Amino acid sequence: MANRKHIRPKSLLVLLALVILPILAACGTVDSAQTTINPQSDVAREIQGTYAFIFWVSVVVFVVVEGALVYAVFRYRRRPNSGMPKQTEGNMVLEVTWTIIPALILVAIAVPTWITIFRTDDIPAGSYIINVTGHQWWWEVEYPDVGLVTANEIRVPSDRTIGFHLETEDVLHSFWVPALFGKIDLVPGRTNTVWFTPDVETEGQMFLGQCVEFCGLSHANMRMRIFVDSPDDFAAWTAGLQSPAPEPSGVAATGHELFSSKGCTVCHSINGAYDAAGLFPAPNLTGFGSRVTLAGAIMENNATNLTAWLDNPEEIKPGNIMYKEAEAYKNPDLALTDADIGALVAYLQTLQ
Amino acid sequence: MATAVGAFGGADHAASKSGVWSWITTVDHKRIGILYGVTAVTFFLIGGFEALLIRLQLAEAESTLIAAGLFNQLFTMHALTMIFLAIMPLGAAFFNFIVPLQIGARDVAFPRLNALSYWLFLFGALLLNSSFIFGGAPDVGWFAYANLTALEYSPSSAVDFFALGMLVLGVSSLAAALNFIITILNLRAPGMTLMRMPVFTWMTLVVSFLLVFALPILTVGLVQLLFWREFGMPFFSAEAGADPLLWQHIFWLFGHPEVYILILPAMGIVSEILPTYSRKPLFGYSTVVFAGVAIGFMGFAVWAHHMFTVGLGSIALAAFSASTMLIAVPTGIKIFNWIATLWGGSIQFTTAMLFALGFVALFVIGGLSGVMHASPPVDTQQQDTYFVVAHLHYVLFGGSIMGLFGGIYYWFPKMTGRLLSEGWGKLHFWLMFIGMNVTFGPMHLVGIDGMPRRINTYDESMGWELLNQIETVGAFIIALSVAVFLVNFFKSVKSGEPAGDDPWDGRTLEWSISSPPPEYNFARIPVVHSNEPFWDQKHPELKHDAPPVIAGGADGEAEESIHMPNPSYWPIVVGFGTALAAGLVIVNPWLASIGAVIGLLGIYGWVFEPAGPEHH
Amino acid sequence: MAEQELHPAQAHESAHPSPAKYILIATYLTLITIFEVLIYYVDALQDYFLWIFLVLSAVKFYYVAMFYMHLKFDARIFKTLFIFGLVLATFIMAALLLLFSIII
Amino acid sequence: MTTNTTAHESHLATTTGLDHRKLLMWLFLASECLFFGSLIATFLLYKDASVVGPQPHEILNIPVTSTSTFVLLTSSLAMVLALAAVQRNDVVSARFWIFATAFLGATFLGFQVYEFYEFVIHGLTPKTNVFGASFFTLTGFHGAHVTVGVIWLMSLFFYSFRHGLPAERSLDVELCGLYWHFVDIVWVVIFTVVYLIGSLEPAAT
C-alpha cells in the first residue's frame, strides 16, 4: 500500500530508448537479401512510397503520444507533499479534438492507400505473361508464349512489364519477391495476378523470394528466385531450353539410362514443355544443369548438394513427394546405390 | 414460495467449504474465478514453453534442433494455447471474480452454468492438448486455412482435435458470455445505471456480446470443417466448385472480434488501475465506454483485412482498409483519455500501475504498426512476415498480457486477502517489459527484412540470424520474469502482507467489502449514486453535491437471511460428458455416444436438482 | 421458484393478444404461404420473384416475432437484442454475397 | 423444472425487472441468428456452384415443402394457444395444445425425413455436391433444433401430469414457446431462401 519507491527518471529514458530505437533502426537496415524496403520495380516502389508515408506519420504520432505519456508519468508522480489531485472528470472539447485529429490523419493515410490499390490493380495490357503454379513445395513456371516449363527459378526480360497468372495445384501458397512486388496468395479454384516492371538497373540481377502462406510440413523450403535478364540473354535462354539437350556420354549416359529405369521419368519431364498428357507432378528438369539452385531453391546446385539431395531428400525437404512416392525410394529393388547417384548427378548436370 | 428461511445461511455449507470436492462442486463465482485464473496461468506456462522451443529453433540459421513437423505443431499450439487457454480464460477469471463484486451482486445469474463453463473450458483444453499424446497436435496454424486441412493434406487426426477442441471451448465461452450479459444487465445494485458501471464491467459486457455473436459463426465453420473431413461433404473442395476462401471469411468473421475479445478486458483493467493510482476519476468515462462499444461493433466489419493478399479485388480492399483504419479512432480516444487521466494526478508507481503504464506504452506501438498493415498495398509486404508477429505480440503481449498481469497485482489482495510483494513485482515488471521489447522489437526489423512467419528454418545468408538470437535472449528474459512472478505468487499466497479491505484506496464497490470477500459478497446490497460509489463514500468532500452514503458493504448488520446456491457436481458431469463425446468422435463417431449419454444424464440430474434451499 | 413470476415486467403479459387474434394471424400466415406457392408457378412474375418472396417472408417473420413471440408487447430490451442479432446476421450474409459476387 | 437461479433473487428484484431465463433465451436466440445466418449464407454461396448435379431446381419439391411449412406454422399457433391456456390456468387445454405442438413438430420432422429420403433416392446426398452439403447441413441443423423442441415440449407435457402447469409457471412454457417460434421463423426464411428462391433456375449468364 505504501509508496515505497519513486521511479527514477533515468529508467524511464532507458525504457523509451528500448522502445524507440529498434523501430527507428528499421529505416537503416536495407541490406538483407529479401528486404521489403529496397524496391527495385515500379510496383514495389509505389508500395514503398505508401509505407514510408505511413511510417513517418506513425513516428510522429508515436513521439507525441509516448512523449505525453512519459511527461505525465514523470511530472505527476506522487511526491511526499502531493495533496489530493483535482477530480477532473472529462472535457468535451478535448474529446472532440482527439477524435477529429486522428480521423483526419487516417484520411491522409487512406487516400494514398486507395490510390496505390487502384494503380497496382490489374496487369497492364501488353505485359509479358508468365504462369506460375504452386506445389507442395516448389513453383512450376510456364512461359505460354514459347511453351516452356521450368521450376523455382524465373527468368524475365528486363524490357517488359511482367504479369503473373497464379494458380495452385494443391494447397494455399503465397507468391512474393519483396524487391519486385508485394505478395499475392495462390488459391485453389482461382487465378490471382500480380505484376511489376523491373528497374533498368536491375538487369543481370537476381532477387530472392519465397512462399509466405503456410503450406504444410516444408513450407520453409519453398523458395524461389527471379533473374532479370537483358532481352538478348532472355532470348538466348529460351532458345537454349527449346533446343534438345546434348547426347550424354560416359557416366552421364549411365545416368540417362538410370533416369528412365529407376522411374524418374514418371514424374520429371526433360523435354522443355508439357507433353500431351499434361502436367507432370514434379519439376520439369529441362536445363537443370544451368540452374543456380535445386530442391525448391533452397540450396546451390552443385554435385555435392545434388548427391545429398538424391541420397536422402527427406532429410533436406521433409515430406517431399519424391521421397514419398518415387519407386527409387519406396521399392528396395530400385533403391539408388552410391554409384547410381553419381551417374544421375553426372547426367543431370549435362542438362544445360 | 420457496422463500421460507429457517436457519439457512452460511452454516449449512460449512462442511463443503474445503477440500477438493468443494472445488469440484463449487458454484461460487469467486472460486470459479480462481479456478479459471490458476488454469489459465498453467496454460500460459505451457504456451510459453512452446514459445521458448520455437525461439530456440530459430536462434540459429538452418538449425536442426526441432524437426519441421514438431515445429509446426509448436507454433500452432502456442497460438491456440495463448489465445484460448491463457488470455481468454484469464479474462474470464476476472469477469468471474470481479464483475459481481463491482456491480454489487451476490453471484452471477446462473451459478451452475458458470461452473459448467469452467469445466467445459478445462476439458476442452485438455482435449486439445491431449493431441500431443494421441498422434500429433494441430499443425496447420491456429487459423487452420482450408484446404491444407483437407483429409488429403492433413491425414492425421490433428485437425479433428483442433475442430473438436475448439467446438468444446466455444460452447464454454458462449455459456459464460450469456451468463455474464444476464448478470451485468440484471444483477446490478440499485442505482447502478449502465453509465454508472465500472469500465471493467462495461468491457466485460462488450466482450460477452462479441462472443455471443462471433462464436456461432466459428461453430458453423468448424462443423463444416468436420463434415468435410469426416463425411466427405465438399465444403472447401475447389474441385467440387466450393471456395476454400469461405473458410477464411468464416474464420476471420469470428477471428477479428476475437482479437477484441482478447484486448478489451485488458483495456477495462487498465481503465480501473490508472484512476486508482492517479487518485483521479477516469478522464472522459462515457467516451471511454462508448469507444469500447464502438471498437466492439466495428470489430465485425473489418475481418477481411486478414485476407488482403487473397485477391479480394480493389473495391473490397479499399472498403476494408477504410473500415480498419476507422477503428484506430476509438482506440486512439481510449489512449488519449488514459493519458489525460494521468495528467494532473498523483501517480503512485505500484506494480499494478507499472503494468498499466506498460500496457499503454506498448499498445501504442502495436496500434501504430497495425495502422501500417491496414493499408493493403503495405500489407502485401508485411502480411505473413515477422512484422505482423511483432505487431500482434505488441498488442497481445504488450497489451493483453501486461494488462492482465496488472489486474493480477491489482486484485490479488481482494482475492486472497494478502498483497503480492511489490519488490518482486517490480522486478517481474521490469524483466517482462525489457524482455518483451527485446523479443518482439527486433521482429519488426527482421519482418521488414522479409523473414516470413511460420518457417522452421532459414538460410544463413539471409542475415536474419543476429536479430533472431536477440529475440531468443529476450524470450528467456520473459521466461525469467514469469519465474519471478511465480515465486512472488507462491510466497505471497502463503505469507504475503495482509492487505486489508481497501489497500489501494479503491474507487469501486469491490473495495468496500472484506478481502477475501465473504461467500455472499455483500451483507447488504449497496445503493449506488455514481460510477465511483466507494470513492464518493470515502471522500464526500470532493463532490459539490455530496452523494448519499452507500448502504451495504460487508459492514453493518447482515440481512436476515442470505441464500446462496447449493454446490453441484452436475456441471462437471455435463462438461466431462461433452468433452468426452467430442474426443471420442475422433476415435469413432459411434463411440461418442458414451460421452453423450454421460452428458445427457448430467443434464437430467441438473434439471431435477433443487438449486436452492427448498423447504416445504 | 414461483417468485420468478412476480416481477413487475410480468405485468406486460396481461397485454397479450387473445386466442382469436392468434388464430387470425395464423390465417394470415397460411394465406401468405399459399400466395407464395401460387405465384411461384406464375412465370410472368419470374423477374420479380426474389423481391416478392423476400417481402412476403419478412411479413411472416414480422407477424410471428411480434405477436407469437410477444416482441410487440414485451420489454424493449428483448426487441433490441434480437434485432441486433438479426441485423448483424443479415449484414454478414449480404457482405459475403457481395464479396463472392453472388449479388451485383 | 427447477432452475439454477439463486434463491436470493426471491427478495431482490432484477435490475431490469425481467426474468434471467427469459433474457437468456432472447440473447440465445439472437446468437442463433448468427448461427443460421452463417449456414444460410453458405447455402446461398454454394447453391449454384455445384460441378455435378442434381442442381436445386431439379430436385426441390415445392408442393411437399409448402405442406410441411404449413404444418410448422400451424404448430406455432398451437404453441401460443398452449401458453394462453397456461396463463389462464386451464391445464387441460394447455396440455392439449402442448401435445398438438409437439405432434405437428414431429409431423414436420416426418416430412423432412421423407424429403431427405427422396433426395437420396434421386441421387442427392450430402457428399454429392456443394449444394447437397450446404442444403443438408442447413436443413439438418434446423431439423435438429425442431427435434430438441419436440423433446422439450414432450417433457413439459409429461411434467404437467405430475406437477400440473399452474399460471405461475407459465414462464417454463413461454421459454419453450420462444424457442419454438424462433425455429419456426428460421423455417420461414429457409422456405423462402432455400426452396422458393433457391429452386429458381439460375439465370443463364
Side-chain angles (χ1 to χ4, degrees), chain B residues 190-533:
Chain B
M192 184 175 279
T193 57
L194 287 178
M195 291 316 281
R196 284 181 188 162
M197 295 196 311
V199 178
F200 178 69
T201 299
W202 252 113
M203 291 306 112
T204 306
L205 186 65
V206 174
V207 164
S208 303
F209 269 109
L210 289 180
L211 283 165
V212 162
F213 292 120
L215 280 169
I217 308 173
L218 177 70
T219 306
V220 167
L222 293 171
V223 163
Q224 291 171 344
L225 175 61
L226 274 175
F227 283 5
W228 182 39
R229 288 175 56 88
E230 300 283 334
F231 309 128
M233 293 159 71
F235 276 110
F236 307 113
S237 302
E239 60 276 16
D243 195 332
L245 287 186
L246 176 64
W247 167 265
Q248 290 193 30
H249 283 290
I250 287 181
F251 184 83
W252 290 116
L253 266 163
F254 153 79
H256 200 80
E258 172 70 19
V259 173
Y260 297 129
I261 288 163
L262 298 172
I263 192 68
L264 287 173
M267 289 183 163
I269 292 170
V270 167
S271 305
E272 302 287 321
I273 293 178
L274 293 178
T276 301
Y277 300 114
S278 306
R279 307 200 84 195
K280 272 182 70 204
L282 182 68
F283 195 89
Y285 165 86
S286 47
T287 337
V288 172
V289 167
F290 285 134
V293 175
I295 291 174
F297 262 106
M298 291 154 90
F300 280 100
V302 299
W303 78 89
H305 71 214
H306 296 269
M307 304 166 59
F308 277 161
T309 62
V310 302
L312 287 176
S314 306
I315 294 171
L317 289 180
F320 279 101
S321 67
S323 66
T324 303
M325 288 180 189
L326 212 54
I327 280 204
V329 174
T331 313
I333 291 174
K334 286 200 157 211
I335 289 166
F336 298 133
N337 277 297
W338 288 328
I339 295 175
T341 304
L342 300 168
W343 208 273
S346 169
I347 299 170
Q348 184 188 11
F349 295 100
T350 59
T351 307
M353 185 62 160
L354 289 176
F355 273 106
L357 294 172
F359 170 99
V360 179
L362 298 174
F363 186 78
V364 168
I365 300 174
L368 289 172
S369 57
V371 171
M372 293 180 199
H373 32 260
S375 169
V378 177
D379 189 58
T380 63
Q381 293 286 27
Q382 296 177 348
Q383 165 91 338
D384 280 320
T385 69
Y386 264 84
F387 191 85
V388 174
V389 181
H391 158 74
L392 80 90
H393 282 95
Y394 268 83
V395 175
L396 290 186
F397 197 112
S400 301
I401 296 280
M402 293 294 243
L404 289 165
F405 270 117
I408 292 177
Y409 280 90
Y410 184 61
W411 280 311
F412 184 88
K414 184 49 63 186
M415 292 175 163
T416 62
R418 291 178 188 280
L419 293 167
L420 281 165
S421 149
E422 283 290 298
W424 284 94
K426 281 175 181 158
L427 182 63
H428 169 202
F429 168 76
W430 284 111
L431 281 175
M432 185 167 263
F433 186 85
I434 293 166
M436 135 91 210
N437 281 294
V438 173
T439 309
F440 304 115
M443 287 186 185
H444 289 111
L445 306 184
V446 83
I448 289 294
D449 259 0
M451 178 168 170
R453 306 170 75 171
R454 307 185 186 105
I455 54 168
N456 66 313
T457 182
Y458 53 89
D459 209 85
E460 200 183 344
S461 63
M462 302 308 285
W464 299 328
E465 197 172 21
L466 177 66
L467 288 169
N468 273 284
Q469 277 165 358
I470 295 172
E471 289 161 20
T472 304
V473 170
F476 278 88
I477 299 177
I478 295 175
L480 184 63
S481 78
V482 175
V484 169
F485 165 72
L486 291 176
V487 171
N488 192 2
F489 181 86
F490 286 111
K491 275 170 70 107
S492 303
V493 164
K494 272 195 185 153
S495 54
E497 212 179 304
D501 295 352
D502 182 23
W504 315 124
D505 199 5
R507 310 175 79 90
T508 40
L509 285 179
E510 74 267 30
W511 303 108
S512 70
I513 55 176
S514 65
S515 309
E519 194 193 356
Y520 47 83
N521 298 348
F522 295 88
R524 285 186 176 279
I525 299 298
V527 179
V528 175
H529 298 278
S530 76
N531 60 3
E532 297 187 318

